[in-house]
Amino acid sequence: MNEPVRKGDAADIGQIALVGLFVTALATAQVTASKLLAFGIPISLPHTGEALILPGAALAYALTFFASDCYSELYGRRAATAMVNVGFAMNFVVLVLVWSTIASPVAGNSAVAADTFETVLGASTNIVVGSLLAYVVSQNWDVYVFHRLREATDGESLWLRNILSTATSQAIDTVIFVSVAFYVAPRAFGVGGDLPVSVIFALIVGQYVFKLLVAVVDTPFVYAVVSLVEQYEAERSE
C-alpha cells in the first residue's frame, strides 16, 4: 500500500493548494446557492422532467468533494478530517461577514440598494444553515468511506473509492442541504423565499445527477493531482 505524502515541499504546496481550493469553493457556494439554474437535457427525469434544476452552487459544492478526496489520498484520514472541520468553522465566518455587511449603513451612491443586497445575500443564511448540517454529515462520511475503501483495496483502485465515496456522500449532502436551505430554513427564519415541495424534489434530483456526473468526470483529475504531487515529492527527496 502506498503511504500518504506527509513531508517535504510538495506536501506543503499540495496542502496549501487543496485547502485553498476547498475553502474557496465552500465559501463561494454559500453566496451563489440561492440562484436556481435550469439546463435542458435530452431525457426526462422524475420530478425534474427535461430540465435539470439545481442551485447555483452545485459546481462549487462538487469541487469541495474533489478537493477532499485528493487531500485524503495524499495526506491521510486525520489530515482530511481536520480540513473538513476547519471548513465547517469557516461557514460561520462567512455568515458573520455577510450579516455585518448587511447591517452596515449604505452609501448614497451605492450601485446596489441595501434592500437588494439583503434580499440576495440575506438568503445565504438559509444556505449556510443548510450547508452546515449537510456538510458536517456528508464530508465526514466521504472521508470515512474513502479510507475504508482504501484499506479494503490495499491502496489500489483510487477510481473506485473516489466515485463511491463521493456518490454516497453527495446523496446525503443533497437531501439535507436542499431540504433545509430551501424549505425548512426559509419557513423558520423568514429570510429568503421558500419553495414548493415539487421544486424541492426537482432540486434534489437535479443537483444529485449533476454531482454524480462530476464525480465520474473528475476521477482522471484526482489521479492527475495525486500523481503530480507524489512525483514532485519523489523528485525533491532525491
Side-chain angles (χ1 to χ4, degrees):
M1 181 188 300
N2 294 329
E3 291 297 322
V5 175
R6 296 190 182 278
K7 296 180 181 179
D9 293 341
D12 294 337
I13 293 172
Q15 286 179 309
I16 292 171
L18 288 172
V19 171
L21 174 61
F22 184 85
V23 175
T24 299
L26 188 63
T28 301
Q30 311 312 330
V31 295
T32 58
S34 58
K35 180 178 179 178
L36 302 185
L37 310 179
F39 298 95
I41 54 177
I43 60 175
S44 181
L45 297 174
H47 300 292
T48 188
E50 295 181 352
L52 203 62
I53 302 174
L54 57 153
L59 179 58
Y61 277 121
L63 282 176
T64 65
F65 286 91
F66 167 78
S68 66
D69 284 349
C70 291
Y71 202 86
S72 292
E73 179 67 14
L74 287 164
Y75 308 115
R77 179 176 176 178
R78 180 176 297 181
T81 301
M83 183 180 73
V84 166
N85 291 332
V86 169
F88 180 80
M90 292 303 102
N91 279 283
F92 291 99
V93 175
V94 171
L95 193 60
V96 169
L97 292 174
V98 166
W99 276 102
S100 64
T101 306
I102 290 174
S104 299
V106 63
N109 60 350
S110 174
V112 179
D115 56 347
T116 302
F117 187 86
E118 181 174 356
T119 298
V120 175
L121 289 185
S124 64
T125 299
N126 303 332
I127 304 303
V128 170
V129 171
S131 67
L132 283 175
L133 294 174
Y135 177 89
V136 73
V137 177
S138 63
Q139 287 285 358
N140 281 287
W141 173 260
D142 182 66
V143 172
Y144 170 78
V145 172
F146 187 92
H147 283 278
R148 286 301 298 269
L149 290 171
R150 192 177 198 276
E151 294 168 0
T153 58
D154 197 30
E156 302 297 328
S157 303
L158 172 58
W159 65 270
L160 179 65
R161 55 184 176 272
N162 177 65
I163 293 175
L164 288 184
S165 65
T166 300
T168 55
S169 57
Q170 290 282 26
I172 296 170
D173 179 86
T174 299
V175 172
I176 297 176
F177 170 70
V178 173
S179 300
V180 174
F182 294 99
Y183 188 82
V184 177
R187 286 168 169 77
F189 304 137
V191 179
D194 56 346
L195 300 175
V197 175
S198 60
V199 177
I200 296 298
F201 279 115
L203 280 171
I204 290 174
V205 172
Q207 185 169 351
Y208 183 66
V209 169
F210 176 80
K211 288 178 176 179
L212 198 57
L213 290 174
V214 171
V216 175
V217 172
D218 78 3
T219 299
F221 296 97
V222 173
Y223 271 95
V225 169
V226 170
S227 176
L228 181 64
V229 175
E230 289 180 336
Q231 180 181 356
Y232 186 69
E233 169 65 8
E235 291 175 354
R236 295 289 295 179
S237 62
E238 290 179 354

